[in-house]
Amino acid sequence: MAFSGWRVLKEGLTGNKGWAPHWRDAAPKDEYDVVIIGGGGHGLSTAYYLAKNHGISNVAVLEKGYLGGGNVGRNTTIVRANYFLPGNSEFYSHSLKLWEGLEDDLNYNVMMSQRGQISLFHSDGQRDAAIRRGNSIRNQGDDAELLSRDDVKRHLPYLDYDQARFPIYGALLQRRAGTARHDAVAWGFARGASDRGVDLIQNCEVTGIDVEGGVVKGVQTSRGAIKAKKVAIIVAGRSSQVAAMAGMRLPIESHILQAFVTEGLKPCIDHVVSFGMGHFYISQSDKGGLVFGGDLDMYSSYAARGNLPLVEHVMEAGMTLMPMIGKAKVLRSWGGIMDMSPDGSPIIDKTQTQGLYLNCGWCYGGFKAVPGSGYSTAHLIATDTPHTPAARYRLDRFFTGRGLMDEEGTGSQHNLH
Amino acid sequence: MRITCPICGERDRREFYYQGAAVALDRPEADAEPEAWVDYVHVRDNPCGMTRDLWYHEHCGSWVVVTRNTATHEVIETALASDIKEQGA
């Protein structure tokens, strides 16, 4: 079933009776070429690109709950490619290019909106750092523009420019950055994978990983044993638990990140605005809600809900930056479980177990990586060689110390990112 | 979340800084194998449920070992890191 404007018109005039489910809710078979543990954004995109790019469609995606019910359904929907370090820079550049063609590729409206992201700076030193970052982004082939204070005022007239602690000196703008409809991304990849023969199996919890003689043989699940030649662990905040089933301990600590949304308002915030010094960022959804978030709660947690001090901190930062939002009523807040790596960069790699692959460590930046991560993970699974843009996301960098990618420059240590 | 400082009593979570898993109590010797240092610096059990971690109480300067549940945020027990280190636990 293809989507098109014509189809929407026709269905609208005939009572919308022709729409069918977007994907098959499959039952598990006894054996697959590839089993992907985790039906979130990264797992679904991996399945999609395995089928599309590599012709491997005898694939199952096993999901404990429902498809897209984890972090891909509870993020702040920002898409960007403004990374600085080699390794991150080329990976997110590739991912953003995939985003730009995603709707045509999937024939699915993911509401990709390249509204631009504005990252504010507040001192001469930060301006220098922004120039350096901008040059790095442009060297990668992506776009970055330095905005003066007056430029920022034209874009964002509603900010408080002379706040005592963080007066606004300017900003770095990436016009190609923006937002996408998070759920639709999961649904689009699910539909694309399912149409190509991938089995999407929900309510199927993996309870064990079968390894014999250092080779993966399959998985045990709540819906029976499933044999597989290759198994990929793509489970974000639960990475440590699932990897433990294969006898692995990971360089991961799971933390909560909270986010918030207000009641629907008339359009007022046209960009993604990042206020790094206040740990605050905001955009406005197409429905009108202000979607914003802050920093981690900063202690390990699986509770998927945060504590009030951080809520207060985020609200204070928002009020400091843009006092106009003070009367907006917050409708909802929620938390996601972030798989934090020590250096703040992710892992896409083989493991010591033959046929077992690992995709984790996305910290609080997994959403924008969804297409690129799936593309690179599918390449790794299909060819057993790393995909060039993700070649530096090696697991062994945490064991040898070689190739650590500490984008924030705070040190490769837990609890610093 | 409220944390009981062994010196100051029950206090607001904001008075404490989270300092990571309590592995810091078992710092390897300087000549230990590289694997021991990798475990110490990077690798974590990261349990969903009971865990032990270190918090620094800004108010009195004490380091506190907090036993808590990562799934519910319930704080079970707290003790001074120095006491635990002396007991070798």
Side-chain angles (χ1 to χ4, degrees):
Chain A
M1 180 180 69
F3 290 104
S4 64
W6 167 244
R7 181 75 194 270
V8 171
L9 190 66
K10 183 182 162 217
E11 291 294 340
L13 294 172
T14 56
N16 284 306
K17 287 172 187 153
W19 301 117
H22 292 189
W23 63 81
R24 293 175 296 113
D25 193 18
K29 292 191 290 191
D30 292 339
E31 185 167 2
Y32 291 93
D33 291 339
V34 179
V35 160
I36 293 167
I37 307 173
H42 293 239
L44 292 167
S45 66
T46 300
Y48 173 75
Y49 288 116
L50 267 176
K52 177 177 179 254
N53 294 354
H54 305 282
I56 301 173
S57 58
N58 186 20
V59 175
V61 177
L62 309 183
E63 168 55 46
K64 178 172 74 171
Y66 58 93
L67 292 186
N71 289 347
V72 75
R74 42 175 60 231
N75 57 77
T76 48
T77 78
I78 297 166
V79 172
R80 57 187 167 88
N82 57 351
Y83 280 71
F84 173 71
L85 288 182
N88 283 329
S89 187
E90 62 262 36
F91 175 82
Y92 289 103
S93 177
H94 179 239
S95 196
L96 181 57
K97 285 171 196 147
L98 291 174
W99 276 109
E100 288 176 323
L102 197 61
E103 292 175 327
D104 285 342
D105 189 30
L106 296 175
N107 176 234
Y108 208 86
N109 182 10
V110 301
M111 296 166 71
M112 178 70 181
S113 162
Q114 292 179 291
R115 58 186 66 182
Q117 186 211 15
I118 295 178
S119 302
L120 301 167
F121 53 78
H122 315 274
S123 69
D124 291 332
Q126 284 193 328
R127 180 190 290 114
D128 290 346
I131 292 169
R132 187 166 177 234
R133 175 176 294 268
N135 285 338
S136 171
I137 294 166
R138 292 175 76 128
N139 282 341
Q140 177 58 43
D142 295 315
D143 68 299
E145 287 170 49
L146 194 75
L147 301 185
S148 70
R149 179 182 161 102
D150 287 340
D151 292 336
V152 181
K153 276 186 174 170
R154 278 193 289 277
H155 284 291
L156 311 173
Y158 47 80
L159 300 185
D160 179 358
Y161 282 81
D162 295 311
Q163 44 171 304
R165 183 69 182 85
F166 295 116
I168 293 167
Y169 275 45
L172 195 63
L173 165 65
Q174 183 167 54
R175 290 185 192 271
R176 287 165 63 224
T179 62
R181 169 89 169 91
H182 53 343
D183 292 322
V185 176
W187 299 335
F189 276 117
R191 171 172 169 270
S194 183
D195 284 352
R196 284 171 171 79
V198 172
D199 280 358
L200 307 176
I201 302 162
Q202 307 182 79
N203 298 310
C204 181
E205 180 173 1
V206 170
T207 55
I209 297 175
D210 299 332
V211 179
E212 286 174 26
V215 182
V216 77
K217 295 293 179 188
V219 294
Q220 300 292 325
T221 78
S222 56
R223 296 174 71 174
I226 301 172
K227 288 184 197 150
K229 297 183 183 73
K230 295 181 174 183
V231 174
I233 300 172
I234 312 180
V235 296
R238 295 283 169 170
S239 294
S240 295
Q241 281 73 47
V242 177
M245 295 174 191
M248 295 166 65
R249 289 175 77 229
L250 298 182
I252 295 289
E253 201 173 78
S254 294
H255 282 249
I256 323 166
L257 182 67
Q258 299 193 63
F260 310 86
V261 65
T262 70
E263 60 192 328
L265 303 169
K266 294 275 190 177
C268 57
I269 294 177
D270 302 324
H271 313 75
V272 177
V273 182
S274 297
F275 174 35
M277 293 315 292
H279 308 295
F280 177 85
Y281 55 95
I282 189 166
S283 65
Q284 188 168 20
S285 77
D286 290 357
K287 225 162 37 174
L290 305 180
V291 181
F292 58 99
D295 209 345
L296 296 174
D297 274 36
M298 287 296 176
Y299 50 87
S300 66
S301 169
Y302 288 84
R305 59 184 157 71
N307 253 292
L308 291 174
L310 211 286
V311 177
E312 187 178 37
H313 174 76
V314 172
M315 301 299 161
E316 284 172 353
M319 283 300 292
T320 301
L321 181 68
M322 42 181 81
M324 73 166 184
I325 66 173
K327 287 188 177 172
K329 293 180 180 66
V330 174
L331 284 190
R332 292 187 301 278
S333 72
W334 63 94
I337 307 170
M338 310 291 113
D339 37 331
M340 301 301 297
S341 66
D343 67 354
S345 294
I347 297 161
I348 298 177
D349 206 350
K350 295 186 253 191
T351 66
Q352 289 188 326
T353 302
Q354 192 186 326
L356 184 65
Y357 303 84
L358 182 66
N359 172 319
C360 70
W362 293 97
C363 300
Y364 26 64
F367 180 69
K368 63 185 168 290
V370 162
S373 166
Y375 200 103
S376 294
T377 308
H379 184 279
L380 178 71
I381 294 171
T383 66
D384 269 325
T385 54
H387 186 230
T388 307
R392 297 197 196 212
Y393 290 159
R394 296 168 62 123
L395 176 59
D396 70 0
R397 70 181 189 271
F398 299 106
F399 300 87
T400 64
R402 193 165 50 241
L404 290 167
M405 271 175 290
D406 177 11
E407 184 82 24
E408 293 177 356
T410 49
S412 178
Q413 190 181 320
H414 288 289
N415 198 37
L416 293 182
H417 293 274
Chain B
M1 197 156 77
R2 290 176 73 79
I3 296 173
T4 302
C5 170
I7 293 172
C8 310
E10 187 183 304
R11 311 293 291 200
D12 190 298
R13 170 256 179 279
R14 276 171 286 194
E15 292 183 9
F16 297 82
Y17 282 102
Y18 175 74
Q19 300 285 359
V23 290
L25 295 174
D26 299 318
R27 187 185 170 93
E29 297 297 326
D31 57 355
E33 292 298 313
E35 291 76 16
W37 279 100
V38 167
D39 268 6
Y40 175 73
V41 176
H42 281 153
V43 180
R44 293 290 178 267
D45 285 334
N46 192 25
C48 178
M50 297 304 262
T51 192
R52 275 197 343 159
D53 39 35
L54 277 169
W55 296 67
Y56 174 73
H57 190 204
E58 196 179 32
H59 195 69
C60 67
S62 60
W63 286 69
V64 184
V65 176
V66 177
T67 305
R68 63 186 180 93
N69 188 322
T70 57
T72 64
H73 292 170
E74 184 189 5
V75 175
I76 313 293
E77 192 182 6
T78 58
L80 283 177
S82 53
D83 288 350
I84 290 195
K85 188 96 177 167
E86 277 169 26
Q87 294 158 12

